[in-house]
Amino acid sequence: MYKADEYDATGKKIGTYVGRTSGAPGENTQAILKRRQSGHHRNVGPLQVVFETDSYPAVRGAEQIYRDKYSTSTQINSIGPKNERKDDYMDCAKSKGAK
C-alpha cells in the first residue's frame, strides 16, 4: 500500500493518491514501488509505503482505510458499499496493523 502526491499536466499538486501494488515472493519493497511508479497511470511523485502485508483481505481493507485517511484524488472505492465482505476486509486490515 502506498500514497503519493498527484500532479496535473503543469506540475501543480492536485491531491494525494493511494494505491496498492504487489510483487514476486521475496521481491524487495523498493523494487516493487519503483516498477509500479514507472508504469503508473497518473502523474505522481515518489511512492511512500503506508502498509505492507501478504494477506489479500487485509490489503483490500487497508486500501479503503488509507484512501479514506489520505486520498484527495478522484478515486473509486476499493471496496464497494454493497460488498458483503467489506467489514471482514476492514477487520482483517486492522488486525494486521492498518490504522
Side-chain angles (χ1 to χ4, degrees), residues 8-29:
D8 67 13
T10 67
K12 178 183 174 188
K13 182 181 172 185
I14 57 173
T16 300
Y17 181 84
V18 173
R20 62 183 157 127
T21 191
S22 62
E27 188 175 8
N28 176 295
T29 301

Side-chain angles (χ1 to χ4, degrees), residues 3-76:
K3 70 175 183 169
D5 291 337
E6 183 177 10
Y7 300 92
D8 67 13
T10 67
K12 178 183 174 188
K13 182 181 172 185
I14 57 173
T16 300
Y17 181 84
V18 173
R20 62 183 157 127
T21 191
S22 62
E27 188 175 8
N28 176 295
T29 301
Q30 292 307 312
I32 294 168
L33 292 177
K34 183 177 179 181
R35 184 182 65 248
R36 177 66 184 112
Q37 186 162 21
S38 71
H40 213 287
H41 64 289
R42 295 183 184 232
N43 184 16
V44 294
L47 308 184
Q48 302 168 34
V49 175
V50 292
F51 183 74
E52 288 185 71
T53 185
D54 59 358
S55 166
Y56 177 75
V59 167
R60 292 286 308 274
E63 185 176 17
Q64 189 64 54
I65 289 168
Y66 290 110
R67 281 185 177 181
D68 292 346
K69 183 174 183 175
Y70 295 120
S71 182
T72 55
S73 294
T74 304
Q75 295 181 251
I76 61 170

